[in-house]
Amino acid sequence: LGTEASAEAAAAAAAESMTAAEAEQAATAEGLTLVRSSRSRSGFEGVYAKSKGRGFNVARTLDGRTQYIGCTATSEEGALLYARKLGTEASAAAAAGAAGAAAESMTVAEAEQAAAAEGLTLVRSSRSSSGFEGVYAKSKGRGFNVARTLDGRTQYIGCTATSEEGALLYARKLGTEASA
């Protein structure tokens, strides 16, 4: 009886799920903006597919800590839940920042120019497929992870859209003397 009841509950939840258009309409009606992300498989910031394809978890990082927001049946519902948690102004700012970051990927020349202006040097590597030390391509071609090894431990620095941005982030972490 327990498995039948849970199957019925799952079917009912799926039947009540919002479509993408309904989530957009609800966000607009509430004055919110859904925060899209090219780095997330769901297509939205803070929305992560659950294992075995059973819905989506919604979370955000605040002051270095993960804050669980909830779970939803569709990614669009998750995006709406995330935007509601952020609020009107913060969701609009986050969406604008995500759109601007996607449009403003750096070229090699721009990264080298920015590094020179800050007194840094991009650390090249013939052993890395990215061409830069500490910059590693993410799986499925979705950007680059940046990390360094310090005292035998891997220290995650961040992720970027291009290897050049990753090299600049790595050089900034090393500082002016170490990157030269």
Side-chain angles (χ1 to χ4, degrees), residues 122-136 167 170:
L122 301 184
V123 184
R124 298 201 177 269
S125 172
S126 59
R127 297 182 316 203
S128 174
S129 62
S130 71
F132 298 101
E133 188 174 316
V135 181
Y136 310 97
Y170 185 80

mmCIF file of all heavy atoms in Angstrom, residues 122-136 167 170:
data_model
loop_
_atom_site.group_PDB
_atom_site.id
_atom_site.type_symbol
_atom_site.label_atom_id
_atom_site.label_comp_id
_atom_site.label_asym_id
_atom_site.label_seq_id
_atom_site.Cartn_x
_atom_site.Cartn_y
_atom_site.Cartn_z
ATOM 1 N N LEU A 122 50.237 35.607 -16.871
ATOM 2 C CA LEU A 122 49.475 34.373 -17.053
ATOM 3 C C LEU A 122 50.472 33.220 -17.121
ATOM 4 O O LEU A 122 51.425 33.265 -17.879
ATOM 5 C CB LEU A 122 48.635 34.433 -18.327
ATOM 6 C CG LEU A 122 47.610 35.571 -18.408
ATOM 7 C CD1 LEU A 122 46.789 35.446 -19.690
ATOM 8 C CD2 LEU A 122 46.694 35.575 -17.203
ATOM 9 N N VAL A 123 50.261 32.180 -16.316
ATOM 10 C CA VAL A 123 51.202 31.063 -16.222
ATOM 11 C C VAL A 123 50.817 30.009 -17.251
ATOM 12 O O VAL A 123 49.817 29.310 -17.103
ATOM 13 C CB VAL A 123 51.201 30.454 -14.799
ATOM 14 C CG1 VAL A 123 52.247 29.360 -14.698
ATOM 15 C CG2 VAL A 123 51.439 31.533 -13.749
ATOM 16 N N ARG A 124 51.629 29.914 -18.303
ATOM 17 C CA ARG A 124 51.356 28.949 -19.373
ATOM 18 C C ARG A 124 51.883 27.575 -18.987
ATOM 19 O O ARG A 124 52.807 27.447 -18.187
ATOM 20 C CB ARG A 124 51.986 29.417 -20.677
ATOM 21 C CG ARG A 124 51.397 30.747 -21.139
ATOM 22 C CD ARG A 124 51.610 30.959 -22.630
ATOM 23 N NE ARG A 124 50.997 32.191 -23.062
ATOM 24 C CZ ARG A 124 49.762 32.290 -23.519
ATOM 25 N NH1 ARG A 124 49.005 31.240 -23.585
ATOM 26 N NH2 ARG A 124 49.273 33.445 -23.920
ATOM 27 N N SER A 125 51.279 26.529 -19.571
ATOM 28 C CA SER A 125 51.693 25.158 -19.301
ATOM 29 C C SER A 125 51.539 24.328 -20.561
ATOM 30 O O SER A 125 50.464 24.299 -21.169
ATOM 31 C CB SER A 125 50.841 24.553 -18.186
ATOM 32 O OG SER A 125 51.123 23.180 -18.051
ATOM 33 N N SER A 126 52.600 23.624 -20.933
ATOM 34 C CA SER A 126 52.520 22.742 -22.101
ATOM 35 C C SER A 126 51.876 21.414 -21.725
ATOM 36 O O SER A 126 51.455 20.653 -22.585
ATOM 37 C CB SER A 126 53.922 22.496 -22.673
ATOM 38 O OG SER A 126 54.749 21.908 -21.683
ATOM 39 N N ARG A 127 51.762 21.129 -20.424
ATOM 40 C CA ARG A 127 51.167 19.861 -19.966
ATOM 41 C C ARG A 127 49.652 19.941 -19.848
ATOM 42 O O ARG A 127 48.975 18.923 -19.793
ATOM 43 C CB ARG A 127 51.748 19.468 -18.617
ATOM 44 C CG ARG A 127 53.240 19.199 -18.674
ATOM 45 C CD ARG A 127 53.760 18.766 -17.342
ATOM 46 N NE ARG A 127 53.203 19.616 -16.278
ATOM 47 C CZ ARG A 127 53.756 19.796 -15.109
ATOM 48 N NH1 ARG A 127 54.880 19.205 -14.826
ATOM 49 N NH2 ARG A 127 53.199 20.577 -14.202
ATOM 50 N N SER A 128 49.097 21.115 -19.792
ATOM 51 C CA SER A 128 47.654 21.280 -19.619
ATOM 52 C C SER A 128 46.978 21.476 -20.970
ATOM 53 O O SER A 128 47.471 22.215 -21.820
ATOM 54 C CB SER A 128 47.381 22.503 -18.734
ATOM 55 O OG SER A 128 46.001 22.759 -18.677
ATOM 56 N N SER A 129 45.845 20.818 -21.169
ATOM 57 C CA SER A 129 45.124 20.958 -22.440
ATOM 58 C C SER A 129 44.593 22.375 -22.635
ATOM 59 O O SER A 129 44.345 22.798 -23.761
ATOM 60 C CB SER A 129 43.973 19.954 -22.511
ATOM 61 O OG SER A 129 43.043 20.196 -21.475
ATOM 62 N N SER A 130 44.420 23.120 -21.539
ATOM 63 C CA SER A 130 43.943 24.499 -21.653
ATOM 64 C C SER A 130 45.060 25.445 -22.079
ATOM 65 O O SER A 130 44.796 26.546 -22.539
ATOM 66 C CB SER A 130 43.380 24.974 -20.315
ATOM 67 O OG SER A 130 44.428 25.157 -19.375
ATOM 68 N N GLY A 131 46.308 25.007 -21.881
ATOM 69 C CA GLY A 131 47.447 25.861 -22.193
ATOM 70 C C GLY A 131 47.897 26.713 -21.019
ATOM 71 O O GLY A 131 48.866 27.453 -21.122
ATOM 72 N N PHE A 132 47.183 26.607 -19.895
ATOM 73 C CA PHE A 132 47.509 27.401 -18.713
ATOM 74 C C PHE A 132 47.568 26.517 -17.475
ATOM 75 O O PHE A 132 46.770 25.592 -17.319
ATOM 76 C CB PHE A 132 46.458 28.500 -18.491
ATOM 77 C CG PHE A 132 46.370 29.488 -19.619
ATOM 78 C CD1 PHE A 132 45.365 29.392 -20.560
ATOM 79 C CD2 PHE A 132 47.300 30.512 -19.730
ATOM 80 C CE1 PHE A 132 45.274 30.301 -21.600
ATOM 81 C CE2 PHE A 132 47.225 31.424 -20.763
ATOM 82 C CZ PHE A 132 46.210 31.318 -21.711
ATOM 83 N N GLU A 133 48.483 26.833 -16.586
ATOM 84 C CA GLU A 133 48.616 26.092 -15.337
ATOM 85 C C GLU A 133 47.399 26.330 -14.448
ATOM 86 O O GLU A 133 46.921 27.453 -14.314
ATOM 87 C CB GLU A 133 49.882 26.546 -14.610
ATOM 88 C CG GLU A 133 50.212 25.703 -13.402
ATOM 89 C CD GLU A 133 51.545 26.071 -12.792
ATOM 90 O OE1 GLU A 133 52.517 26.260 -13.547
ATOM 91 O OE2 GLU A 133 51.597 26.189 -11.557
ATOM 92 N N GLY A 134 46.896 25.242 -13.865
ATOM 93 C CA GLY A 134 45.788 25.336 -12.929
ATOM 94 C C GLY A 134 44.419 25.511 -13.556
ATOM 95 O O GLY A 134 43.430 25.673 -12.850
ATOM 96 N N VAL A 135 44.325 25.462 -14.873
ATOM 97 C CA VAL A 135 43.052 25.662 -15.575
ATOM 98 C C VAL A 135 42.692 24.361 -16.289
ATOM 99 O O VAL A 135 43.445 23.889 -17.136
ATOM 100 C CB VAL A 135 43.140 26.821 -16.587
ATOM 101 C CG1 VAL A 135 41.817 27.037 -17.296
ATOM 102 C CG2 VAL A 135 43.592 28.094 -15.891
ATOM 103 N N TYR A 136 41.545 23.773 -15.921
ATOM 104 C CA TYR A 136 41.147 22.466 -16.421
ATOM 105 C C TYR A 136 39.753 22.528 -17.039
ATOM 106 O O TYR A 136 38.821 23.037 -16.413
ATOM 107 C CB TYR A 136 41.151 21.439 -15.281
ATOM 108 C CG TYR A 136 42.443 21.472 -14.498
ATOM 109 C CD1 TYR A 136 42.537 22.197 -13.317
ATOM 110 C CD2 TYR A 136 43.574 20.813 -14.973
ATOM 111 C CE1 TYR A 136 43.728 22.255 -12.609
ATOM 112 C CE2 TYR A 136 44.765 20.859 -14.264
ATOM 113 C CZ TYR A 136 44.833 21.586 -13.091
ATOM 114 O OH TYR A 136 46.020 21.641 -12.398
ATOM 115 N N ALA A 167 42.990 31.522 -16.468
ATOM 116 C CA ALA A 167 44.404 31.840 -16.267
ATOM 117 C C ALA A 167 44.555 33.146 -15.486
ATOM 118 O O ALA A 167 45.425 33.262 -14.620
ATOM 119 C CB ALA A 167 45.113 31.936 -17.610
ATOM 120 N N TYR A 170 43.661 32.432 -11.869
ATOM 121 C CA TYR A 170 44.771 31.695 -11.264
ATOM 122 C C TYR A 170 45.919 32.650 -10.916
ATOM 123 O O TYR A 170 46.472 32.610 -9.817
ATOM 124 C CB TYR A 170 45.246 30.607 -12.225
ATOM 125 C CG TYR A 170 46.315 29.696 -11.683
ATOM 126 C CD1 TYR A 170 45.984 28.642 -10.834
ATOM 127 C CD2 TYR A 170 47.648 29.861 -12.033
ATOM 128 C CE1 TYR A 170 46.957 27.785 -10.343
ATOM 129 C CE2 TYR A 170 48.628 29.021 -11.548
ATOM 130 C CZ TYR A 170 48.272 27.978 -10.704
ATOM 131 O OH TYR A 170 49.247 27.143 -10.218
#
